[in-house]
Amino acid sequence: MSLTDQLMTDLKSAMKSHDKTALSVIRMLKSALMNKKIELGHDLNAEEENQVVVSQMKQQKDSLAEFEKADRGDLVADAKEQIKVLSQYMPQQLSETEVQQIVQQTADKVGATSKADFGKLMKAVMSQVKGKADGTLVNRMVKDLLQ
């Protein structure tokens, strides 16, 4: 089942159960997918759909961080609920161990040994784990490796 079909099924289910948070998140995600489809001018493939979901998750996590910084408990709770719903549509994420292995293998492959190679290594690793691992996790592991 494609992501769009899954969203339609879940949208109907959320409407029947009067789940306002799920309804809001699903509508937001459907809208983001439609905007990307219009931007690209063609139907989205699975990878492009996953990129949209990852992008939406990143936005929600950034919002959560800002709400926490501003000490807005009411908005923090809402953002956490939205992240919980959105996480159902995220592509399967790599474990920290798997990411660590990829970072190490890529560092060996590109010859990254010092902090000066940070950008080169990040670019190489992110191209391999795009959508499968959080960028902040990769960033932390690359920094730890290049110390």
Side-chain angles (χ1 to χ4, degrees):
M1 179 183 292
S2 74
L3 180 60
T4 307
D5 295 338
Q6 181 67 41
L7 286 172
M8 285 305 296
T9 303
D10 293 349
L11 182 68
K12 290 175 189 173
S13 174
M15 285 178 167
K16 287 179 183 175
S17 66
H18 302 288
D19 186 349
K20 291 180 181 181
T21 302
L23 201 55
S24 169
V25 171
I26 293 168
R27 285 180 173 156
M28 172 197 61
L29 189 53
K30 281 185 60 162
S31 175
L33 288 166
M34 184 57 68
N35 288 340
K36 188 68 166 181
K37 179 180 175 180
I38 291 168
E39 178 187 323
L40 296 176
H42 62 79
D43 288 339
L44 302 178
N45 61 34
E47 183 178 328
E48 291 166 338
E49 287 178 340
N50 286 339
Q51 287 174 350
V52 171
V53 175
V54 169
S55 172
Q56 291 298 311
M57 180 62 88
K58 182 174 179 358
Q59 287 179 6
Q60 289 297 325
K61 286 183 177 180
D62 290 347
S63 296
L64 176 62
E66 290 300 317
F67 295 151
E68 287 173 339
K69 193 185 308 180
D71 198 28
R72 294 289 309 266
D74 55 332
L75 296 176
V76 167
D78 288 344
K80 285 182 179 178
E81 284 297 313
Q82 291 175 353
I83 288 171
K84 184 178 174 184
V85 172
L86 195 55
S87 66
Q88 299 170 16
Y89 305 104
M90 285 287 290
Q92 182 66 35
Q93 299 292 290
L94 297 172
S95 69
E96 283 195 35
T97 307
E98 292 170 321
V99 173
Q100 183 66 39
Q101 289 172 348
I102 291 171
V103 168
Q104 184 63 52
Q105 291 169 354
T106 307
D108 294 342
K109 203 179 297 180
V110 299
T113 57
S114 68
K115 289 184 180 184
D117 300 322
F118 178 81
K120 179 171 63 171
L121 182 56
M122 275 298 292
K123 183 178 178 183
V125 172
M126 287 307 292
S127 68
Q128 292 180 36
V129 300
K130 189 170 189 151
K132 299 177 194 166
D134 185 38
T136 54
L137 173 67
V138 174
N139 185 309
R140 181 172 45 88
M141 289 186 173
V142 168
K143 281 182 180 175
D144 290 347
L145 180 70
L146 296 179
Q147 283 187 13

